Amino acid sequence: MLAQRNPSEAYRRVDFDARIATAAPGELVVLCLEQFISGTGSALVAHERKNNALKSQAMTRAMSALTALQMGVDGNGGLATALGQFYGAARKTLLDSVLTFDAAAIAALRQDFIEVAQALAGAARAS
């Protein structure tokens, strides 16, 4: 089973696991955003190269990151409601692209998450 794995994927996973083990809650959000952005970016490249196995793997990684983000939303109302709606719409976009890949929708979704990550980084620098 290990022989079938991509070595770069194995190194990425070890790095990711190490970062999770030492991360504070806010850092976990950043890690999940990074994984989502990376996963959707890899899916777009794989789609261009017609590599369905890599595309599927990348979409799974993006969905896992999104699930973790959704599970981390705490509370009701206000920001929690907005995040729930944002993540729910993102999940729908990902799932809609499983059978019929919509590169434009995935690229737009990825850009939305890049903007969220940048806003979060800007807020962290300001405080």
Side-chain angles (χ1 to χ4, degrees), residues 35-47 58 61-62 106 110:
Q35 288 298 304
F36 184 88
I37 292 164
S38 175
T40 51
S42 294
L44 290 166
V45 170
H47 178 71
R61 185 166 30 123
I106 296 298
R110 181 174 185 269

Side-chain angles (χ1 to χ4, degrees), residues 1-10 13-14:
M1 179 156 173
L2 290 177
Q4 296 176 358
R5 287 196 160 203
N6 178 340
S8 63
E9 177 64 18
R13 183 68 195 175
V14 168

